[in-house]
Amino acid sequence: MKPLPPDLNSPTALHGLSAFTTIRTHRGEALLLSEHLERLEATCTFLDLPPPAADVPELEALPWGLLRITVTAEGTYYRHQPLLPPAVQPTGAGVLLSRIQVHPQLGRHKTGNYLPYILAQRHAERAGFFEGLLIDRGGNAVDGTRTGLLLRVGGRYLIPDGGLPSVTRAALLSELHAEAQAAPISPELLQRAERVWLCGSGVGVVPVVYLKADDWAKDYEAEWVGQEHAALKMPD
């Protein structure tokens, strides 16, 4: 047993009291920056943290990058690193519906309290899936470990009620000139869906081709959309 290092003796390190957002960059430009900062500020208000600093520094002109902005009680910090193409087959992504639950109050926010997402991602990767979905107490799909969920059911677009308001998903709906309704995404609804997409800064927009739950599975016809938009396409 070792003494706790002083730099770990804080609410940020011990309890995840921080807010963050992850922004795609293209040749040094932070894409959808204002939308990300607006969502981040709302989370800071919810957590009683200071608002995020808006003075984003000049970024290295990476072909594709990920800019993570983190806010703690001590200030705003950033990290910029290369974004590598995700390991997705040309046919689409396989997804596992996990049994890991999101926090009922924190599910709408990106916070340092991230353990459920790490567990769901580990379960999915060990089973050979690209993404894992987390659920709420009622068993409804709420979010992916690193993506937001979008469904088309009966010609309507649906997003999970209770999940993170995905900036990438909102940009996709704007590109499609479409609106989406928030609804509980039950297993029955997932089985009825004609199309399912994953939306996130790190992957863009990826169609789901296969979804596996404990006692059922479904194949979907993949439809690649939004690939002309730098914030939505698969990184080169």
Side-chain angles (χ1 to χ4, degrees):
M1 185 177 297
K2 301 178 182 179
L4 184 69
D7 58 347
L8 293 183
N9 189 22
S10 71
T12 300
L14 294 178
H15 309 298
L17 182 54
S18 64
F20 76 96
T21 191
T22 306
I23 306 168
R24 177 181 290 202
T25 68
H26 184 49
R27 305 197 183 283
E29 178 189 358
L31 306 177
L32 305 175
L33 176 61
S34 60
E35 292 88 344
H36 276 278
L37 290 178
E38 181 179 355
R39 187 184 66 184
L40 179 59
E41 184 170 2
T43 295
C44 290
T45 299
F46 177 78
L47 297 177
D48 197 24
L49 291 171
D55 56 334
V56 177
E58 184 175 348
L59 302 172
E60 182 182 354
L62 299 172
W64 296 101
L66 276 182
L67 171 67
R68 174 172 169 141
I69 299 177
T70 303
V71 180
T72 72
E74 291 73 35
T76 303
Y77 306 89
Y78 80 96
R79 181 187 66 196
H80 188 218
Q81 60 187 23
L83 171 61
L84 302 178
V88 180
Q89 299 296 325
T91 52
V95 175
L96 177 69
L97 181 63
S98 79
R99 304 308 298 171
I100 306 296
Q101 295 183 16
V102 297
H103 190 285
Q105 281 79 41
L106 300 180
R108 298 178 185 273
H109 301 277
K110 274 198 158 184
T111 76
N113 193 328
Y114 211 68
L115 183 58
Y117 302 88
I118 294 174
L119 294 176
Q121 184 177 30
R122 286 178 178 174
H123 291 175
E125 289 178 348
R126 287 170 182 169
F129 291 88
F130 174 74
E131 176 65 299
L133 300 181
L134 295 94
I135 61 174
D136 61 17
R137 291 177 178 175
N140 303 304
V142 174
D143 250 331
T145 68
R146 52 184 166 164
T147 61
L149 198 61
L150 176 65
L151 285 71
R152 193 166 72 207
V153 183
R156 298 184 303 147
Y157 290 102
L158 299 178
I159 61 176
D161 185 22
L164 181 75
S166 167
V167 171
T168 304
R169 182 175 59 205
L172 171 62
L173 289 168
S174 178
E175 282 289 296
L176 297 175
H177 305 288
E179 295 184 356
Q181 178 183 354
I185 306 300
S186 65
E188 293 76 19
L189 201 54
L190 285 169
Q191 293 176 70
R192 286 171 42 207
E194 300 106 30
R195 299 284 190 278
V196 179
W197 295 273
L198 305 171
C199 307
S201 296
V203 303
V205 178
V206 177
V208 174
V209 70
Y210 178 69
L211 195 151
K212 175 73 170 64
D214 286 342
D215 54 357
W216 61 271
K218 178 170 180 178
D219 294 313
Y220 300 93
E221 183 178 347
E223 180 182 357
W224 291 88
V225 292
Q227 297 302 298
E228 297 77 22
H229 192 302
L232 307 178
K233 68 179 292 186
M234 179 79 68
D236 301 326

